[in-house]
Amino acid sequence: MEKDILVKAFIETYGEGEVAGYFSPGRVNLIGEHTDYNGGFVFPCALTFGTFLLIRKTNNPFFRFSSLNIRGSESVGLDKLAIPLAKGNWVNYPLGTIAQFVKRGVGFSSGADILISGNVPGGAGLSSSAALEVVTAVAINDQFATGIGKVELAKMSQKAEHEFAGVNCGIMDQFASAMGEKDHAIFLNCDTLEYELVPVKLEGIKVVIGNTNSPHSLDSGQYNERVRQCQAAVDALKPQIDIANLGGISVDQFTSLQHVISDEVVRRRARHVVTEIKRTTDAVSALKSGNIELFGQLMNASHDSLRYDYEVTGFELDTMVEEIRKIGGVIGSRMTGGGFGGSTVSLVRDSAVDNLIETVGKKYFQRTGLKAEFYVAEIGQGGHRVF
Ligand code: GLA
């Protein structure tokens, strides 16, 4: 959005004066789903859409929050920064992030006025919440000169999600939103947070995001249930093998030990995670060696594993992926993000993109009654100051 429009809106809300602006992106994950909270690998990239945050420090004993997207402004006293608001209040995302600064011992002797404006489609599984947390972390760190590094800001943003939104998410979304680089995906080891930026400039191929417009909701409890099931698998495997998380066991080791997991559902959940971690490292190698067909096959296998073993896809995502895969020129297609609705990500030859959007749009509507939206992804920059 235009700077002038945002600044005007800020001044209308809070009055004349200096304003600083920050931006953090949403993300799309190319492969490596539900592996992050298992100490596995992920391969996300930052998008060019995301969340703007405008801020002005004040002499007031409170922070004020308002948004151009969502109704409901809040004023929160400096002595209440570490206390969540009612469940479902959007302000919990920026507030929860500021709370992490307080918990680290950052003392706020005065507050600030904050205005949010986001263009990540909400509920699309493209991390609008991480974008909001990370933009808050980046802005507060800069404005209050707290000197915290970006990886730490990503971790604080993740904690905000745990403590103020109740979702026990992994680090992927916040890391991608903070650390993303233009035209690169991030190959991240979620156990050690070591990462490598891998160029994603694909000759004649586009990354196409398909929004099912079936809102995904992470606080539905099903996400946290998956986290618990993975822990149950680790607990069952531990007497046999010394692991801290499912990232510590290879596919071969898992195949020979899986019988000790007596619960069949838990076993399938673990199988997804262990095989997905392998698919992710294989996919990154394939990309680096220019074997894009293999990358696509691994994306397809990832979706099928999320569908049958992890059971986080659902009718809309499966329908869209099925229809996309019928289009000639599609190299691979899968769900992206937490699942239970949200978006798909596909690698598509340039010449097939228009046909895909039209044909899949029609077929998807016929089968689900929902209107899909498609975006040709541009890979953008992680959280930063814009003015
Ligand atoms: C959500 C979470 C991430 C990750 C994905 C699934 O986006 O926020 O931490 O677990 O789901 O890969």
Side-chain angles (χ1 to χ4, degrees):
M1 195 185 274
E2 289 290 308
K3 173 187 169 188
D4 295 353
I5 299 174
L6 291 173
V7 170
K8 188 164 171 277
F10 187 95
I11 286 169
E12 277 167 9
T13 310
Y14 296 118
E16 291 288 342
E18 290 282 303
V19 191
Y22 297 81
F23 173 81
S24 276
R27 64 92 190 94
V28 64
N29 187 22
L30 298 177
I31 193 162
E33 219 64 85
H34 288 277
T35 51
D36 59 352
Y37 52 84
N38 289 296
F41 290 94
V42 292
F43 197 45
C45 36
L47 295 168
T48 47
F49 42 56
T51 301
F52 289 92
L53 181 152
L54 277 68
I55 184 167
R56 175 192 294 153
K57 285 171 77 181
T58 65
N59 291 319
N60 299 327
F62 49 78
F63 276 78
R64 288 191 290 189
F65 303 88
S66 56
S67 161
L68 296 184
N69 306 93
I70 316 170
R71 276 175 191 278
S73 307
E74 294 286 348
S75 171
V76 180
L78 296 178
D79 55 338
K80 301 218 161 44
L81 293 175
I83 306 168
L85 302 170
K87 196 168 185 275
N89 188 331
W90 72 270
V91 176
N92 274 322
Y93 293 99
L95 182 62
T97 309
I98 295 173
Q100 303 310 317
F101 286 86
V102 175
K103 290 184 177 186
R104 292 174 69 105
V106 174
F108 292 99
S109 53
S110 56
D113 289 337
I114 289 174
L115 177 74
I116 301 292
S117 174
N119 57 9
V120 186
L126 302 174
S127 291
S128 52
S129 60
L132 178 50
E133 290 148 4
V134 171
V135 78
T136 306
V138 170
I140 296 293
N141 189 43
D142 192 41
Q143 289 288 309
F144 290 87
T146 48
I148 300 170
K150 270 198 169 181
V151 171
E152 207 52 39
L153 294 177
K155 288 201 225 166
M156 290 162 68
S157 301
Q158 178 196 20
K159 274 206 154 172
E161 183 96 24
H162 290 186
E163 293 173 7
F164 277 61
V167 180
N168 295 324
C169 65
I171 189 70
M172 170 170 74
D173 303 350
Q174 291 79 9
F175 199 95
S177 183
M179 305 298 290
E181 291 283 347
K182 190 172 162 36
D183 295 331
H184 288 74
I186 308 172
F187 181 38
L188 172 66
N189 177 336
C190 298
D191 203 28
T192 61
L193 297 191
E194 281 168 301
Y195 68 99
E196 182 188 346
L197 293 166
V198 181
V200 184
K201 266 256 174 219
L202 305 168
E203 208 48 53
I205 294 167
K206 295 277 187 291
V207 177
V208 178
I209 296 170
N211 180 356
T212 61
N213 269 316
S214 159
H216 98 137
S217 162
L218 269 193
D219 53 12
S220 63
Q222 285 169 299
Y223 184 92
N224 290 348
E225 183 190 36
R226 295 300 183 283
V227 177
R228 283 195 301 274
Q229 287 168 331
C230 292
Q231 189 52 51
V234 172
D235 292 344
L237 288 163
K238 259 192 174 156
Q240 311 293 325
I241 183 166
D242 183 23
I243 50 167
N245 52 44
L246 288 173
I249 183 166
S250 70
V251 174
D252 286 348
Q253 287 169 324
F254 180 76
T255 307
S256 58
L257 291 175
Q258 57 175 322
H259 61 275
V260 304
I261 306 173
S262 55
D263 184 325
E264 185 270 333
V265 174
V266 170
R267 205 183 315 136
R268 275 192 289 125
R269 302 293 187 254
R271 183 168 63 198
H272 163 72
V273 173
V274 173
T275 56
E276 180 77 353
I277 292 171
K278 171 91 166 71
R279 278 187 290 274
T280 307
T281 52
D282 287 352
V284 174
S285 305
L287 183 68
K288 285 181 179 169
S289 64
N291 191 347
I292 201 71
E293 296 296 335
L294 177 58
F295 193 98
Q297 287 160 18
L298 291 162
M299 288 177 83
N300 290 344
S302 165
H303 183 88
D304 298 346
S305 175
L306 289 156
R307 178 174 183 172
Y308 297 110
D309 276 350
Y310 219 61
E311 294 180 287
V312 292
T313 54
F315 176 63
E316 291 84 2
L317 284 166
D318 290 332
T319 302
M320 185 181 277
V321 163
E322 275 167 29
E323 294 301 333
I324 289 176
R325 287 187 193 165
K326 289 180 191 163
I327 304 287
V330 168
I331 298 158
S333 184
R334 57 183 290 278
M335 60 154 268
T336 186
F340 310 109
S343 293
T344 62
V345 60
S346 311
L347 294 187
V348 187
R349 299 217 180 271
D350 284 353
S351 55
V353 173
D354 291 345
N355 177 30
L356 181 150
I357 293 174
E358 202 193 318
T359 310
V360 176
K362 268 191 208 144
K363 286 274 168 54
Y364 178 77
F365 182 73
Q366 280 165 11
R367 291 180 61 186
T368 65
L370 293 169
K371 214 174 146 346
E373 274 169 301
F374 296 93
Y375 326 101
V376 174
E378 282 177 54
I379 303 179
Q381 198 67 30
H384 58 280
R385 185 169 180 165
V386 276
F387 55 85

